[in-house]
Amino acid sequence: MPPIVCSAQASYKKLPGLLELTDSHLQWTKAGEKAPAVKVPTTEAASLSRSKAGAPQVRLKIGLLSDEAGHNFTFTSPQAVALAERDKFEAELTNIIARNRSGAPQIPAPTKPLQAATPTPTTPAHGSGVGTPMRPPPALSRPSTSRAVSVASDSRASGTPVGSDPTSDFRLRKKVLLSTPELAQLHRELVMAGHITENEFWEGREHLLLAQAAAETQKRGKPGQLVDPRPQSVDGEIKIVITPQLVHDIFEEFPIVARAYNDNVPGKLSEAEFWSRYFQSKLFNAHRASIRSSAAQHVVKDDPIFDKYLEKDDDELEPRKLREERVDTFIDLGATYVDHEETGNEKDVTMQAGKQRAVLPLIRKFNEHSTRLLDTALGGPAAKRRRTDSGESEHYAQIDLEDLHDNQSSSGIVLNMQDRQRYFDGRANGTSNGDDGAGRVDFQEALQQSKASTQGWSANLTQLKIERKAGDAALVSMTQNVASRLDVRLRKHEIPEGLFRQMTTCQTAANEFLRQFWLTIYPPANESQTLSVATPAQKAAKAAKMIGYLSKTHEKVEALVGVAHQEGIDPARVQVAMKPILDAVNKALDFWRLKNSKAPGAR
Amino acid sequence: MDKPSHLSVILDLSPTQWALCAQSANPTGITLQTFLSQLLAFLNAHIACKDENTLAVFGAFPGQSGMLYSSTGEITSARTESTDANTYRPFRTLDSTLMTLIAERLESYDSTTEEAPIGLVGCLTKALCYINRAITTSSSSVTEIEGAVASVDPRILVLSVSPDQSSTYIPIMNSIFSAQKLKVTIDVCKIFGAENVFLQQAAHLTGGAYVQVERTDALLQYMMMSFLPPPAIRQLISVPTQDRVDFRAACFCHKRIVEIGFVCSVCLSIFCQPVPVCSTCRTKFPIKTLQRLRDARPLAAAAPPTKPLAPKNGTATPARPG
């Protein structure tokens, strides 16, 4: 029996058992059984996440290298003990994971994880019924995954996902592939078939991964809606699902409930009892976001504990929580009667929110909620607005409006052009282009000819005649030109679906090979290191491999033409369609040949 | 066709090129004489289409350029032509002014043996200035809602027989941008000579038609069909144009036409090889970038400057890199 580092009572997949951590393994045994149902070597541990502090259930989720979903454990001991146990496990596992990270070099085998990836990774199938008060893990994993970032990975913050973090790398790649089906298809064909390795495929596509990583790290802000859990009626029973997130929101929205919770739990009431009684109390009813009574569904009982926290309804003339408004001295002084001719500038007593008195508390609740939202977004209530009232400058700054500033056009940086003559004239060898078309003509001779042409023009004009045939031919050719251009726009191609798909795959595959080939030839686009810092020998080998694939492109196109012929499509059309990619391939092949023919002499 | 249209014609009158064109047999050439008569018929047709149509003709001669005719009457010829009762008077004025001025210009050449490159660019810029003036004066007199919109539909037609001059790349591009701003369409009719890369780009960027004439004996047919309709009705009457456009540019250092080049990030000037200092805006580039760019030219790697081009002579031992 290997030495046990720590152990705890924990349930896995809703079954109670014992979770143990040894030097080499993490295992979980179902209660009453001998052999562990889950046994995972510690070298496999890749990521860690846990439920929120203060959440009713104490959970720990361990992600593995091979299986991202990993295993979820819920610590079943009484709360305090469970928390301590979980922390201990967490500390140990974090060390192990850090060790794994630095020890294990690079990417896992591309085939296996991809197959595991086809079902979406974030929903391990812990199908729990609606009846339980706890929501299934997927909802939990959302807020805890973001925290998993800080727990598990250290180099995430640098923003370059490539190469620093294998599991997040892999996850990003999968996400990108899922979102662009064409890329997924290309990936399937090339990487699955083994032509290109995973790294090579992603080289040059780092920006896609970066974009995905950036999109993920963005957190959603607080929702604008008031927190209003609605009970759902299921089979005649009334159920509310309570998530830690919901609990957190309720505490934030209604501090009274937080106070009640702190006072009563775990002393007088257990958590479950607290919540069930809360939702049946008048306190909760007062916190609803709608004044329509749903009394039919919801029985409001008197509750000795919760009724203590009831407050008077907020429906006086002034709201209970007055807004703290800082009065701008300038504006106050500046307001005159003339500014508001229609209404005058007295306080408006007719401006009362809501004709019904019962609506007032609700409206004020909305206002408070919105204020709170804005404050969290803008950084603290009145933190920005409050300034030390010192000195003249602050007052002046208030009336110094941006719009009143004079429009100053900047003079800009003067363009110093060197050698203007050369820039504008430079006749160099420009004329060599059109030279010697059909033999040199003497300028003077030509000049004489031209002069002669201008004489007697009116006679020539009267004798102007166009040959009928020539005119018709010209007309026909021009009409054809217009017609073909119009045709191209209107007509769709009748190439059958299968053949068309083959043509597209051939083209995209050839493009990818070309891209890899030229990547080896040209130096990297930016100065930072790319994924595979290949030595020249490696690059040469890769280039040769790509050339091999590219040479086969011609045969592929021939095959496509043959297929077209069989299906009755004009093969010339297929050839015309594939011509651009063939040109590119030929260019690459020529370049390679040229390079190789010169190279042997050098070394 | 409610808006009157303005047509500025730029004639490429390079004597050597016209002589070549006249002699040429393979693409059947056209003599300057026939060309001029067909041109006159076309110009008459344009001013006959609509009474308010205006016309301006510019001539590009070797080393000089000038306006040859303008319907606003700026150009008049010294010699008064004899009035001919059988000819419509505006036609007569147009034709005679044009021809006499061409003759005068050609006379002005003394006995030089070398032909200077034609002033095509000068004509282009003069035409644009003329159009700009015409538009602003007409819009200032018009008090309708259109106001800023030009009440004339301007276009430029270039009849070219000469090949590209790479030194004119920069001025032509500048003219193209001004034409885009003024909403002027540039049409090009290529009668003889190699394909003109810059004019192709001009037609493409301004939305005009580039037509290469195959049957030069039916030149008038081409001109009538492609260049007579003003831009406004070109949506209804499709004019033929060449779709394939050569988008190459000329480098600023040698004025050579390049396909792959290096661009300064400050002033966007194009170079054919990496330079340490940009010649137009005098920005210095970092050494590391230069090295990286130099390495990035595999074509140069294939024929490095240090090695002599040995294969031609078939020497067995190539020289070591210096």
Side-chain angles (χ1 to χ4, degrees):
Chain A
M1 182 76 157
I4 295 181
V5 178
C6 48
S7 74
Q9 294 288 329
S11 72
Y12 177 68
K13 292 196 173 57
K14 306 292 164 229
L15 299 167
L18 182 70
L19 179 68
E20 288 163 331
L21 178 67
T22 69
D23 267 349
S24 57
H25 283 82
L26 177 74
Q27 60 196 34
W28 179 81
T29 325
K30 189 155 168 270
E33 296 206 351
K34 289 287 164 60
V38 177
K39 188 163 176 180
V40 172
T42 48
T43 44
E44 286 261 293
S47 70
L48 202 59
S49 53
R50 62 154 139 102
S51 60
K52 284 170 34 49
Q57 284 221 330
V58 179
R59 293 172 181 272
L60 189 64
K61 176 177 155 187
I62 296 159
L64 302 173
L65 278 179
S66 55
D67 176 18
E68 212 206 67
H71 304 289
N72 253 299
F73 300 102
T74 311
F75 290 82
T76 46
S77 321
Q79 183 121 13
V81 180
L83 281 171
E85 285 171 349
R86 186 187 59 187
D87 289 339
K88 198 143 158 253
F89 265 93
E90 210 180 299
E92 294 293 324
L93 283 169
T94 315
N95 288 340
I96 293 173
I97 289 174
R99 259 204 325 261
N100 287 350
R101 282 276 161 73
S102 49
Q106 288 296 334
I107 320 288
T111 51
K112 193 153 153 294
L114 225 57
Q115 279 153 10
T118 22
T120 48
T122 51
T123 53
H126 288 197
S128 47
V130 177
T132 57
M134 293 301 161
R135 268 188 81 187
L140 172 67
S141 65
R142 253 284 115 218
S144 48
T145 319
S146 49
R147 224 165 299 103
V149 174
S150 50
V151 169
S153 89
D154 34 351
S155 50
R156 234 349 183 72
S158 61
T160 50
V162 178
S164 61
D165 189 0
T167 33
S168 62
D169 231 8
F170 165 66
R171 191 169 42 84
L172 286 172
R173 289 175 179 180
K174 197 164 48 205
K175 278 239 169 73
V176 172
L177 285 179
L178 282 175
S179 51
T180 41
E182 301 102 17
L183 199 63
Q185 196 188 9
L186 190 64
H187 183 266
R188 238 202 319 271
E189 279 168 30
L190 294 179
V191 179
M192 294 297 149
H195 295 305
I196 302 184
T197 70
E198 182 87 18
N199 287 1
E200 284 175 354
F201 182 75
W202 288 107
E203 199 179 326
R205 293 200 168 93
E206 289 103 351
H207 60 281
L208 290 173
L209 296 174
L210 279 171
Q212 188 70 34
E216 281 181 10
T217 49
Q218 284 179 325
K219 289 198 296 247
R220 284 194 85 172
K222 273 174 65 87
Q225 286 178 334
L226 215 52
V227 179
D228 187 25
R230 284 169 193 256
Q232 290 155 344
S233 165
V234 174
D235 304 331
E237 288 203 327
I238 300 160
K239 296 289 174 213
I240 297 182
V241 286
I242 301 179
T243 70
Q245 186 67 30
L246 179 65
V247 169
H248 179 75
D249 285 342
I250 290 180
F251 286 168
E252 210 173 308
E253 187 79 38
F254 307 111
I256 305 260
V257 182
R259 210 159 46 124
Y261 185 86
N262 286 336
D263 289 345
N264 295 317
V265 173
K268 296 185 207 146
L269 299 167
S270 77
E271 267 210 56
E273 273 181 22
F274 177 82
W275 288 115
S276 51
R277 282 177 67 170
Y278 170 68
F279 284 117
Q280 291 176 347
S281 68
K282 281 193 194 148
L283 190 61
F284 174 62
N285 203 26
H287 288 160
R288 306 280 323 252
S290 146
I291 57 168
R292 279 201 300 266
S293 85
S294 46
Q297 276 186 344
H298 200 84
V299 178
V300 175
K301 295 197 294 246
D302 283 338
D303 191 309
I305 297 184
F306 282 107
D307 286 352
K308 275 189 292 195
Y309 299 96
L310 268 182
E311 296 171 326
K312 194 170 172 326
D313 273 344
D314 193 2
D315 53 6
E316 304 297 323
L317 273 181
E318 291 281 335
R320 192 177 12 232
K321 185 174 167 194
L322 289 173
R323 287 194 307 174
E324 36 178 285
E325 292 211 38
R326 192 169 158 271
V327 177
D328 276 324
T329 37
F330 274 111
I331 293 181
D332 224 25
L333 286 176
T336 61
Y337 179 70
V338 187
D339 287 333
H340 308 275
E341 268 183 60
E342 300 87 2
T343 54
N345 59 347
E346 287 183 9
K347 211 165 172 188
D348 192 358
V349 294
T350 59
M351 271 299 283
Q352 277 187 347
K355 301 250 166 56
Q356 301 174 311
R357 201 153 162 202
V359 179
L360 282 180
L362 191 59
I363 291 178
R364 288 182 183 141
K365 239 196 306 261
F366 280 133
N367 288 341
E368 283 168 31
H369 178 77
S370 316
T371 324
R372 206 169 336 117
L373 263 186
L374 280 178
D375 286 340
T376 46
L378 291 176
K384 305 191 74 169
R385 299 196 291 262
R386 191 167 298 135
R387 274 184 251 151
T388 52
D389 257 33
S390 64
E392 292 282 313
S393 57
E394 196 247 326
H395 294 293
Y396 182 73
Q398 278 190 15
I399 55 171
D400 188 14
L401 300 172
E402 183 78 30
D403 288 340
L404 294 176
H405 290 166
D406 209 356
N407 201 6
Q408 290 163 355
S409 56
S410 64
S411 54
I413 305 175
V414 176
L415 180 67
N416 287 324
M417 276 179 47
Q418 249 177 0
D419 212 358
R420 253 172 218 261
Q421 278 310 102
R422 190 170 66 96
Y423 180 77
F424 283 123
D425 284 348
R427 53 189 52 194
N429 16 15
T431 51
S432 63
N433 272 0
D435 236 356
D436 298 338
R440 303 280 299 143
V441 177
D442 184 29
F443 175 52
Q444 285 301 320
E445 235 180 70
L447 193 58
Q448 294 309 319
Q449 277 185 15
S450 308
K451 284 186 202 169
S453 313
T454 57
Q455 308 302 326
W457 56 269
S458 58
N460 290 335
L461 187 56
T462 48
Q463 289 163 5
L464 177 61
K465 185 168 149 46
I466 306 269
E467 284 296 311
R468 173 106 190 265
K469 286 224 185 77
D472 287 344
L475 179 73
V476 163
S477 73
M478 282 197 281
T479 322
Q480 268 176 358
N481 178 313
V482 175
S484 62
R485 278 189 303 132
L486 204 61
D487 223 8
V488 162
R489 252 182 278 162
L490 291 181
R491 199 161 42 110
K492 293 191 293 207
H493 67 91
E494 313 115 2
I495 301 180
E497 191 58 39
L499 177 61
F500 192 65
R501 217 166 334 126
Q502 280 179 338
M503 282 164 63
T504 25
T505 44
C506 175
Q507 169 143 357
T508 37
N511 263 335
E512 187 62 26
F513 292 140
L514 278 171
R515 188 175 82 91
Q516 296 291 337
F517 173 69
W518 288 113
L519 262 179
T520 62
I521 305 292
Y522 286 108
N526 46 354
E527 265 113 35
S528 61
Q529 299 291 1
T530 51
L531 185 50
S532 64
V533 186
T535 66
Q538 276 180 328
K539 280 194 176 172
K542 189 165 149 198
K545 192 167 83 155
M546 290 303 144
I547 286 292
Y549 289 134
L550 288 172
S551 333
K552 293 199 207 122
T553 317
H554 282 279
E555 294 151 19
K556 281 194 210 156
V557 174
E558 291 300 325
L560 283 173
V561 171
V563 171
H565 197 66
Q566 280 176 357
E567 304 210 3
I569 308 293
D570 184 14
R573 290 180 63 187
V574 175
Q575 274 172 339
V576 163
M578 302 302 287
K579 188 158 182 324
I581 191 74
L582 279 179
D583 286 343
V585 167
N586 287 339
K587 190 150 186 244
L589 290 172
D590 288 340
F591 173 78
W592 180 251
R593 226 171 306 149
L594 192 63
K595 189 158 178 272
N596 277 349
S597 66
K598 295 248 176 182
R603 307 209 183 92
Chain B
M1 265 178 91
D2 355 39
K3 278 204 285 195
S5 82
H6 168 86
L7 173 66
S8 283
V9 182
I10 296 176
L11 303 175
D12 177 357
L13 293 167
S14 150
T16 39
Q17 288 298 323
W18 276 112
L20 281 170
C21 179
Q23 291 168 7
S24 142
N26 191 355
T28 345
I30 184 174
T31 60
L32 188 56
Q33 264 175 316
T34 14
F35 166 69
L36 285 172
S37 5
Q38 300 197 6
L39 174 71
L40 292 175
F42 172 71
L43 296 175
N44 292 341
H46 172 78
I47 58 176
C49 264
K50 203 163 151 69
D51 199 31
E52 296 93 341
N53 277 356
T54 46
L55 176 70
V57 184
F58 298 84
F61 298 94
Q64 49 173 294
S65 62
M67 185 186 252
L68 299 175
Y69 173 79
S70 121
S71 52
T72 47
E74 280 135 17
I75 309 284
T76 47
S77 72
R79 306 178 219 162
T80 53
E81 72 285 0
S82 52
T83 51
D84 185 359
N86 288 336
T87 322
Y88 184 44
R89 197 174 167 82
F91 289 179
R92 184 91 186 153
T93 331
L94 160 65
D95 301 343
S96 55
T97 320
L98 189 59
M99 296 312 292
T100 34
L101 280 172
I102 291 180
E104 275 177 23
R105 289 272 183 161
L106 287 175
E107 291 290 329
S108 66
Y109 282 96
D110 54 358
S111 49
T112 44
T113 44
E114 196 55 53
E115 175 176 307
I118 55 160
L120 180 64
V121 171
C123 277
L124 203 50
T125 39
K126 282 181 183 153
L128 284 169
C129 292
Y130 179 80
I131 289 175
N132 183 36
R133 186 154 50 96
I135 289 179
T136 39
T137 44
S138 70
S139 63
S140 60
S141 59
V142 163
T143 50
E144 289 154 25
I145 310 160
E146 298 177 55
V149 176
S151 52
V152 282
D153 214 358
R155 65 190 194 279
I156 296 180
L157 170 63
V158 180
L159 296 153
S160 159
V161 291
S162 326
D164 260 335
Q165 286 172 348
S166 38
S167 61
T168 59
Y169 172 67
I170 294 165
I172 288 189
M173 290 314 286
N174 290 338
S175 321
I176 294 175
F177 298 140
S178 338
Q180 281 178 331
K181 285 240 173 63
L182 285 175
K183 300 208 186 5
V184 171
T185 338
I186 299 183
D187 299 321
V188 178
C189 182
K190 193 82 184 122
I191 300 168
F192 172 78
E195 270 206 0
N196 209 317
V197 174
F198 304 147
L199 291 180
Q200 267 181 10
Q201 291 189 23
H204 174 83
L205 290 170
T206 52
Y210 179 94
V211 174
Q212 188 142 19
V213 174
E214 290 151 28
R215 301 292 307 254
T216 46
D217 36 357
L219 177 63
L220 187 56
Q221 176 74 42
Y222 281 96
M223 291 208 285
M224 288 287 204
M225 219 171 122
S226 319
F227 304 120
L228 201 53
I233 60 170
R234 282 192 192 181
Q235 293 161 359
L236 298 168
I237 303 180
S238 297
V239 296
T241 177
Q242 185 170 315
D243 272 339
R244 197 170 46 88
V245 184
D246 191 342
F247 280 113
R248 290 179 296 171
C251 78
F252 284 33
C253 39
H254 309 104
K255 316 289 183 216
R256 276 197 300 244
I257 297 188
V258 292
E259 289 176 339
I260 300 179
F262 299 86
V263 179
C264 167
S265 47
V266 174
C267 63
L268 297 181
S269 29
I270 303 169
F271 301 101
C272 48
Q273 65 203 23
V275 287
V277 176
C278 170
S279 60
T280 21
C281 63
R282 291 204 236 143
T283 317
K284 297 187 189 39
F285 301 117
I287 303 286
K288 270 198 348 184
T289 322
L290 283 178
Q291 281 170 350
R292 190 161 46 81
L293 289 176
R294 282 219 177 94
D295 296 336
R297 304 179 65 213
L299 308 170
T306 52
K307 289 188 193 153
L309 293 174
K312 279 203 189 133
N313 302 332
T315 49
T317 52
R320 312 242 21 252

